[in-house]
Every structure is written in C-alpha cells, then in structure tokens.
Amino acid sequence: MHSATPSNSPSDVRRSPELIRARAGVSLVFLANGLGFANLVPRFPEIVEGLGLSKGAFGQAVAAASVGALVAGLAASWLISRLTSAKVASLGMLVVALALLGAGLARSWLVLAVCLLVVGGTDSIVDVAQNAHGLRVQRRWGASIVTSFHASWSLGAVLGAAMGQALAGAGVGVGTHMVLTAVVLLVLSTGPLLAGWFLPGHDRADREPDEIKEFDNALQVRPATSSRRVGPVTILVLLVVGLLCAASMFPEDVAMNWSSLLLSEQGAGAGHVGLGLVALQGTMIVGRLVGDRIIDAVGQRAVIAWGGALVTLGMSIALLLSSVPGTLLGMAISGAGCAVAVPVTYSAADDVEGLPPGLGLTIVSWLARLAGLLSPPVVGRLADDHGLWVALAYGLLGGLIMVSCWPVLRRRSAGTQRPG
C-alpha cells in the first residue's frame, strides 16, 4: 500500500508509550499472520499421504486459497469501515485459526479445499486491515516503518515452520498441532486488541479531510472514474508490472506450497521438511529490515534486477544440486532476492502514468492473485508427470522474469511520492 508522506519529520514526532504499544500490537498481528499457515506447511506431506492425493489434486486444493482471496478481498473495505482495521485484523485471525484447524483435521480433499478457501479469503481481508492500521501508526510515527511490519510477518513464518516441523518430528498429531497453533494465534492477535494497544477511533480519525476521499477509494478497491483514456503504452506497462509482481511471489509460493513435499522426497525427515520455508523467509527477514535503505540507495530498478539475479541463482542451485542442502541453499539465496520486490512493484504500480490514483495498484494486486490461483494446479499437474523439480523451475521462471522486465520501472526510488 502507498502511504502519504508524514506531515512531521521524525525529530518532530513525540513517540508516546501509546504509539509504541500500537506499533507493537500491529507487529504481533503480522507475526501471527505469518505464523499461522506456516505451521501447516511441514504437515503437507502427511496430509497428502493421508488423503491419498496426487500432486495435481494437492495443487488444486492450494489454489482454493487464491479463489478465496479473489472473492473475499473485496469485503475488506466494507468490514474496516464498520469495525475498524484493528478489529478486522485481530478477529480475522481467529477465523484463520479455525480454518487451519479444519484443514489439519480434514478427511477428504473437499474439506481440505474448503478450509483453505476460508484461510485464503480471510487472510486477504486481514492483510488489508493489518496494513491499514500499520499505516495509521506510520503516519503518527513520522518515519517509514512499514517494512518492519513485513519483517514481523516473515519472522512469524520462520517461527511457524520451526514450530510445525518440531511438533511433526516429535510425533504430535496434526489435529493436536493445529489446536496448539490456534491457541497461539488467539493470544498473539486478540491480546493487543483486548489490552487496548491499537490506535483508538476509526481509521479516518488521523487523516486530513482532503485525504478521506482518497482513503475511501483505496479501501473500496475499485477504479476511480476518469475522463482520460488509457493508452496502449500505459496498459502494456501495467501488465508488465503485474507480471513482475506475480513473478516476485513465485519463490514464496515454492517455499510455502511445495518445499516441504520436495524436501520429503529428497530424504528430509518429518522434523526437517519445514526448513525450506525457514531458509527463504529467514533471509527475507533481513532483507525487509534493511529494505527501505536499500531501495533509497540504489533505486527500484536495481532492486528488481539484482533481486531477480539472486532468485535465478538460488533456484538454479537447488535444481542442479537436487538435494536437501542444495534446496535449502537455493531457498536462502532466493529469499534475499525477493525480500522487498513486492513492495517495490506495488509502488511502481501506483506510479504508472495515465491512471487515476489507486487504479494501478488495484489491477496489479489482482493480476498477482490471479497468478496465485492458476499456478498451483499447473505446477501440481506437471509435478505428477515430471517430478517436483518442476516447482523449482517455476521459481526460476520468476527470477528470469524479474531479470528481464525491470526496465519498465521508472528511474526513481520507491520513496518518491507521486506528485499531487
């Protein structure tokens, strides 16, 4: 999301205990959001085996999460406008926790797919809400802190995968594991809400009157009307930026959906199949903590070009070595490459000339979600026919797209705001 430039400089902002607690509360929700699904990832080999699923059927079940995101994402604005972003983010995580429990207890493909549908749909709502409240905190903080929230998400993913594989290695049943996960999510997500850590009032409360209309348009996730005709060059640029955004998510998809199955086939034990996700998200944490400084120093183009090179290198290593150490090394290198690529492409989408404010970001985010819907069944079907190395080739494709398409980005840093 694209935030307004804070009205005060960091030195002018008084960071009260209330503001510090609000930042901590948002960080905990991001942490919970990353931790939840990551707990399920190390159990995928057991779930696939227990349900007797082919790779294609598993890919279709995973794609249900993207279907949920596409359908339910539009409800985010309606819920936030009535309940506030803090309540939507915290309470939404409870729905995610229950859906993850259902996925762990699923005894058929249909139940698994429905539960993942709910997970994906609710997660898309939580994602908007947690970012909206995080941007409220950022505006009062007086400096860019949004990448630190995404670092909390990555930390949650690492901790969730570590927790999941530890319990799997200890022989804890999937159902019991998901109950424990639900309890952890309950504490992390609702604790700050019940303790009153979040910023009070409605999300409009800390905005200037002339910002409210723009804020409403952004939350409604629908194109603003404009009398200007969008030219073919603008459409082409928007499509390429959308492709870049989707491609930068390919390595994360590989780690989240396929790495546990791949590592299991390569001989990793139940207590180690989550290490692919840990490796990728571990380097993403570091990248996101220093991401703002890197973007300001070298610019958007270099971040995407060199990030794509790292993803290409990482996935190539994993493909060539075809072993547990090779896969883990490749995931770690790829994580460094895609750490801040999504925020960069979102910023670039919002900066495409010839479009009303918010329209580029809306279209690009939906194109990325569409790719997330189509790719799991395709990768699964190809993996059934040719092997799970196809998933690594899918990640490699993402790196190659990043390396090839970076020139479409404008020559300026991500921190430069759109005029007007």
Side-chain angles (χ1 to χ4, degrees):
M1 295 180 66
H2 205 55
S3 65
T5 303
S7 57
N8 298 322
S9 66
S11 59
D12 295 330
V13 176
R14 184 178 181 182
R15 282 147 191 178
S16 63
E18 291 78 11
L19 186 58
I20 294 172
R21 284 197 295 269
R23 181 175 181 178
V26 174
S27 296
L28 285 176
V29 173
F30 270 87
L31 182 76
N33 190 234
L35 185 143
F37 191 81
N39 260 279
L40 189 64
V41 170
R43 312 309 296 247
F44 280 158
E46 296 173 59
I47 292 173
V48 168
E49 182 179 358
L51 297 180
L53 301 179
S54 66
K55 304 298 188 302
F58 174 72
Q60 291 168 2
V62 170
S66 294
V67 174
L70 285 167
V71 173
L74 294 175
S77 63
W78 184 85
L79 290 169
I80 290 173
S81 66
R82 285 155 180 79
L83 299 176
T84 75
S85 58
K87 291 180 180 178
V88 171
S90 293
L91 299 178
M93 283 307 304
L94 299 185
V95 179
V96 170
L98 292 175
L100 288 172
L101 175 60
L105 296 174
R107 293 295 177 265
S108 69
W109 175 90
L110 180 60
V111 174
L112 176 64
V114 169
C115 289
L116 293 180
L117 178 84
V118 175
V119 169
T122 309
D123 179 75
S124 68
I125 295 172
V126 170
D127 185 52
V128 174
Q130 67 187 7
N131 276 284
H133 204 80
L135 291 174
R136 285 191 67 191
V137 174
Q138 176 174 273
R139 279 187 289 274
R140 297 192 186 187
W141 195 266
S144 177
I145 58 175
V146 69
T147 56
S148 70
F149 294 136
H150 289 269
S152 294
W153 188 96
S154 292
L155 176 60
V158 169
L159 295 176
M163 174 181 168
Q165 67 184 14
L167 293 176
V172 177
V174 180
T176 303
H177 175 191
M178 289 299 106
V179 170
L180 294 174
T181 301
V183 171
V184 173
L185 296 183
L186 171 67
V187 174
L188 290 176
S189 60
T190 63
L193 181 67
L194 296 176
W197 284 13
F198 295 114
L199 295 178
H202 197 275
D203 291 70
R204 301 169 182 244
D206 56 342
R207 287 181 172 267
E208 299 295 330
D210 59 351
E211 291 184 281
I212 291 178
K213 184 176 181 180
E214 181 180 351
F215 173 69
D216 288 340
N217 287 337
L219 280 181
Q220 287 170 7
V221 196
R222 57 191 180 199
T225 58
S226 175
S227 59
R228 293 175 295 180
R229 296 187 64 181
V230 178
V233 174
T234 299
I235 294 174
L236 178 61
V237 169
L238 194 61
L239 290 175
V240 175
V241 173
L243 180 62
L244 268 175
C245 183
S248 64
M249 296 179 182
F250 288 0
E252 290 189 75
D253 290 346
V254 174
M256 190 70 75
N257 298 326
W258 302 104
S259 66
S260 60
L261 298 180
L262 178 63
L263 288 169
S264 180
E265 285 194 359
Q266 290 175 341
H272 299 92
V273 294
L275 287 177
L277 180 59
V278 171
L280 182 129
Q281 290 293 342
T283 52
M284 287 189 73
I285 293 173
V286 178
R288 286 174 168 177
L289 287 174
V290 300
D292 287 327
R293 296 176 185 175
I294 294 175
I295 294 169
D296 289 339
V298 304
Q300 294 180 334
R301 287 179 152 205
V303 166
I304 294 298
W306 287 103
L310 285 175
V311 170
T312 302
L313 174 63
M315 291 297 170
S316 296
I317 289 174
L319 273 167
L320 292 174
L321 297 184
S322 188
S323 63
V324 171
T327 297
L328 297 182
L329 177 60
M331 290 293 166
I333 295 174
S334 298
C338 65
V340 295
V342 171
V344 166
T345 54
Y346 277 0
S347 178
D350 200 46
D351 207 30
V352 173
E353 291 185 343
L355 295 176
L359 178 58
L361 180 58
T362 299
I363 293 175
V364 164
S365 64
W366 271 74
L367 287 173
R369 288 180 182 179
L370 182 62
L373 168 63
L374 299 176
S375 60
V378 173
V379 172
R381 179 63 181 270
L382 291 174
D384 278 330
D385 295 337
H386 305 288
L388 272 170
W389 65 268
V390 171
L392 295 174
Y394 163 61
L396 174 62
L397 176 63
L400 294 174
I401 291 172
M402 293 170 67
V403 169
S404 303
C405 297
W406 63 264
V408 75
L409 302 180
R410 301 179 68 180
R411 292 181 180 274
R412 62 162 128 185
S413 68
T416 305
Q417 296 294 321
R418 186 179 192 158

